[in-house]
Amino acid sequence: MFSPSPPPSGLLERVFQFIDLHQNEFVQILKEWVAVESDSVQPVPHLRQELFRMMALAADKLRCLGASVDSVDTGFQQLPNGQTLPIPPIILAELGNDPKKPTVCFYGHLDVQPARQEDGWLTDPYTLTEVDGKLYGRGATDNKGPVLAWINAVSTFRALEEDLPVNIKFIIEGMEEAGSVALEELVRKEKDRFFSSVDYVVISDNLWINQGKPALTYGTRGNSYFRVEVKCRDQDFHSGTFGGILHEPMADLVALLGSLVDSSGHILIPGIYDQVAPLTEEERKMYKAIDLDLEEYRHSSHVKKFLFDTKEEILMHLWRYPSLSIHGIEGAFDEPGAKTVIPGRVIGKFSIRLVPHMNTSVVEKQVKQHLEHIFSKRNSSNQMTVSMTLGLQPWMANIKDNQYLAAKRAIKTVFGTEPDMTRDGSTIPIARIFQDIIQKSVMMLPLGAVDDGEHSQNEKINRLADSSEGPVLHHTNPKSPHGNPLTCYILAIEFPSPNLPIYIVGYFALSFAWK
C-alpha cells in the first residue's frame, strides 16, 4: 500500500511563483524545439536526421533533470519503394524508484506533420512566433508543448529542491505521425522491465472540445490508411498525342475515389457499418451533457457549414461513427501553370477512421472488394492495386477507473467546473498499445484548446488565458490556490483508496492556460 503524501504547506504557491517567474525561459526552450524540423511523415534522409537531433535534445533535457535515460535503437524503417531509413530512438527515462510511491508514466512524441509557409502559414512554421498571447509554430500543441509541460513540471520541483511525490517515467517517441513505427515492439519487449512498476499512464496528445472548458478523453478512433494505384505505364503521355484513345489512369482513379463516400459523409463501401457498436441511451446522454457551442465551434474551425445541425449529431460523427477522408493524389500535376500531361501512373490516398467494434483486417477486405468491383465496371485496360499501409485499432477506457475519477475531482478543484468527458476523432496508437500489452490504467489529459490547429496551418498553443473570450475558468473557483491566470493543473491520484491523496503538479509550462 502506498503511503499518503499530501503537498507540504506552501509548496503549491512556491511552484506557481516559480512558473510565473520563469515563463520566458520555458518559451525559449519551446522555441528551440519548434525550430527542429522533426517531420516523420516525409521519408527523406535530411528530415530523418532532424528527428534524431530532436530526440537527442529531449534526452539531454531529461538527463539534466537527473533522470536515467535510455535512447533505444529500434532499427530501420522499410519503405514501399524499397528504401530504408533509420528509425529515431525511443526515449525511456526514469525519475525515482521509491517502492512506497506510485509510478506514473507519461507518453509523448516529438515528431510533427509537414509544414511549409507557402501552404498558408502566416509565419515561418519552424520559428515560434508569439501573436496576441498565442505561440505559433509546428509542434507547439502537437506534441512538443505538452511534452515540455511535463518535463518542466519536474524541473520546477528540482529547482525548488522538493521531493517529487511520485516516481515518474517518460516514454517519448519520434514516429507517432507515421504510425508509431517500432513502438509496439518496444513496449512488448519492455513489459516486464521498464513498465513492470508503472501504475498509471497519462497521455497529453489531444485537445479540448472547445476554447474555454477542460476535458478528459476516454476514447479515440482507429485508422486504416489506403493507397490505390492505377497504372498504364511509367511514363506520362502528351494529351494532344494520346488524349481520346486511352483509358486514362487519372480518370479511373477519380472514379474510384468518388465511389467511396457520398456528399453527406456516408461511406459507400458495403458492410462498413456492420461492426459499429450500437448507440446506447447512456452514451446518448453523455453527448447531450457536453458543453459545445456549435456556432463558436464552426467559427473557430473557419468553415461555412457542417454536415449536421445538432451538437449530438456532430459529436457522434466525430467520435463514435467511422469517417472516410480522401487525402491526395500522387503522380498528378499540381504545380502552377498549364501542363497538358496525362499521368501514366497515379496513386490515390485515403483513410477510414475506425470505431468500436470495427476491425482493421475486415475493413481492408471490404475496401479491396469494393474498389475491385468499381474498377471492373469501367472495363479499363489499366492495372489497379490497393494496399492498406496503416492499420490502427480504436481505443476506449473505463471512465469509472480511479484515475479518471481522481482527474475529474482535480479539474473541479482547479477550474471550478466538471470536465467534458470526450472521445477524440483522431488516432493515438499508444493508448491502445498500453491497454492491450501492459494492461495498465491509461488516461488522456488534453492540454490544448480546440482552435490550436494541430496538423493544420498556423498551429499554436496559448500562452496566457484571455478573459475577453469565453469563460474565465481560472477565476470561477474562490478556493483555487492561485489567483493569477492558471499555470498549473493539480491532478489528485488516489492510491489505493479515497483517503490517500497523491498530488502531481503537472502544470502547463509556458502558462499553458487556455481561453
Side-chain angles (χ1 to χ4, degrees):
M1 179 178 291
F2 300 115
S3 301
S5 180
S9 176
L11 170 59
L12 297 182
E13 189 60 35
R14 290 174 61 211
V15 169
F16 303 150
Q17 290 174 356
F18 183 91
I19 296 166
D20 290 340
L21 289 172
H22 293 81
Q23 274 190 46
N24 290 336
E25 295 173 29
F26 299 147
V27 171
Q28 181 59 35
I29 298 170
L30 181 59
K31 185 173 185 177
E32 293 169 4
W33 283 26
V34 166
V36 182
E37 193 175 350
S38 51
D39 172 0
S40 65
V41 176
Q42 300 182 83
V44 294
H46 83 274
L47 291 177
R48 197 53 57 94
Q49 290 172 4
E50 287 288 272
L51 277 165
F52 273 76
R53 184 160 73 95
M54 184 68 252
M55 302 309 292
L57 282 174
D60 288 344
K61 182 68 175 173
L62 287 165
R63 288 191 185 99
C64 288
L65 296 181
S68 62
V69 180
D70 186 8
S71 294
V72 182
D73 183 357
T74 52
F76 289 81
Q77 179 186 15
Q78 185 74 39
L79 303 176
N81 62 4
Q83 180 187 12
T84 60
L85 286 174
I87 301 171
I90 296 174
I91 294 173
L92 300 178
E94 302 182 54
L95 272 161
N97 56 4
D98 187 341
K100 296 180 181 180
K101 296 178 180 179
T103 298
V104 178
C105 182
F106 169 76
Y107 162 84
H109 70 89
L110 297 174
D111 58 316
V112 299
Q113 286 279 323
R116 299 185 306 172
Q117 188 165 355
E118 55 265 35
D119 289 336
W121 282 75
L122 299 178
T123 60
D124 177 1
Y126 296 104
T127 300
L128 190 70
T129 305
E130 183 169 358
V131 180
D132 297 329
K134 301 177 180 67
L135 300 168
Y136 291 91
R138 178 56 93 216
T141 198
D142 184 20
N143 186 230
K144 294 178 180 181
V147 170
L148 272 174
W150 281 83
I151 291 176
N152 289 336
V154 175
S155 73
T156 297
F157 272 84
R158 285 287 194 259
L160 295 174
E161 298 182 345
E162 292 288 349
D163 185 36
L164 285 166
V166 294
N167 304 313
I168 293 184
K169 294 192 175 188
F170 290 87
I171 175 169
I172 303 174
E173 66 161 320
M175 292 293 287
E176 192 271 346
E177 303 291 2
S180 292
V181 179
L183 183 63
E184 182 173 350
E185 181 182 350
L186 178 67
V187 173
R188 290 186 186 278
K189 180 180 177 182
E190 294 289 338
K191 175 184 177 182
D192 298 321
R193 190 191 71 86
F194 182 79
F195 296 108
S196 62
S197 61
V198 170
D199 299 292
Y200 291 83
V201 178
V202 181
I203 301 170
S204 297
D205 190 22
N206 63 314
L207 305 176
W208 297 357
I209 188 63
N210 57 42
Q211 296 183 44
K213 187 178 180 183
L216 290 172
T217 302
Y218 64 94
T220 63
R221 291 194 289 189
N223 191 10
S224 290
Y225 198 102
F226 292 90
R227 289 162 46 100
V228 53
E229 176 182 318
V230 180
K231 178 180 177 180
C232 179
R233 70 177 192 183
D234 290 325
Q235 285 180 282
D236 291 341
F237 298 91
H238 190 297
S239 64
T241 305
F242 290 94
I245 63 172
L246 293 176
H247 289 110
E248 296 190 11
M250 181 69 83
D252 284 342
L253 181 59
V254 169
L256 291 169
L257 296 178
S259 75
L260 295 172
V261 62
D262 67 17
S263 60
S264 68
H266 185 81
I267 303 173
L268 300 175
I269 300 166
I272 201 73
Y273 292 97
D274 291 351
Q275 295 177 294
V276 176
L279 177 66
T280 66
E281 187 59 33
E282 181 181 7
E283 183 185 348
R284 190 187 300 274
K285 290 178 181 178
M286 291 182 68
Y287 296 122
K288 189 174 182 179
I290 297 290
D291 185 6
L292 178 66
D293 183 325
L294 279 186
E295 185 58 28
E296 177 190 286
Y297 186 60
R298 185 195 61 77
H299 178 74
S300 66
S301 303
H302 303 287
V303 297
K304 184 176 182 180
K305 188 179 186 300
F306 290 123
L307 292 176
F308 306 97
D309 297 322
T310 69
K311 174 183 70 175
E312 290 78 9
E313 286 179 307
I314 291 288
L315 294 178
M316 285 192 287
H317 284 86
L318 277 175
W319 298 344
R320 65 106 52 229
Y321 290 124
S323 64
L324 189 150
S325 300
I326 298 170
H327 304 298
I329 296 177
E330 185 178 327
F333 174 64
D334 65 347
E335 301 295 331
K339 184 179 180 181
T340 56
V341 64
I342 299 172
R345 171 179 171 268
V346 286
I347 300 171
K349 301 176 183 181
F350 65 94
S351 69
I352 301 175
R353 295 287 179 175
L354 311 182
V355 297
H357 302 290
M358 297 174 75
N359 180 276
T360 54
S361 60
V362 174
V363 169
E364 180 181 17
K365 182 178 180 181
Q366 292 169 333
V367 168
K368 288 182 176 180
Q369 287 179 342
H370 170 73
L371 290 177
E372 287 166 358
H373 173 68
I374 297 298
F375 190 69
S376 68
K377 290 175 21 177
R378 291 185 61 80
N379 295 317
S380 174
S381 61
N382 295 323
Q383 297 177 319
M384 183 200 72
T385 55
V386 183
S387 59
M388 186 177 76
T389 60
L390 188 65
L392 301 170
Q393 296 291 139
W395 165 77
M396 288 283 287
N398 177 11
I399 61 173
K400 297 178 181 179
D401 179 271
N402 277 349
Q403 186 169 208
Y404 276 89
L405 296 177
K408 288 177 71 174
R409 288 193 296 272
I411 289 175
K412 181 63 182 268
T413 298
V414 174
F415 291 99
T417 185
E418 294 286 339
D420 283 328
M421 298 304 294
T422 68
R423 288 160 70 169
D424 195 308
S426 61
T427 304
I428 302 174
I430 189 61
R432 181 65 183 253
I433 290 173
F434 275 131
Q435 187 180 70
D436 287 351
I437 298 176
I438 67 174
Q439 299 180 0
K440 304 293 184 178
S441 171
V442 180
M443 182 179 72
M444 295 188 64
L445 176 69
L447 301 192
V450 68
D451 63 341
D452 275 359
E454 59 179 355
H455 288 205
S456 186
Q457 295 90 339
N458 305 310
E459 177 185 347
K460 59 86 178 171
I461 195 164
N462 295 345
R463 172 171 175 149
L464 297 171
D466 184 351
S467 60
S468 66
E469 297 182 30
V472 188
L473 295 176
H474 52 277
H475 291 306
T476 59
N477 184 2
K479 295 183 180 180
S480 177
H482 194 44
N484 297 324
L486 275 179
T487 55
C488 78
Y489 177 83
I490 304 172
L491 174 58
I493 299 183
E494 300 178 347
F495 304 96
S497 73
N499 298 319
L500 302 175
I502 302 293
Y503 293 91
I504 301 170
V505 180
Y507 72 88
F508 302 150
L510 319 181
S511 294
F512 288 167
W514 304 269
K515 293 182 181 178

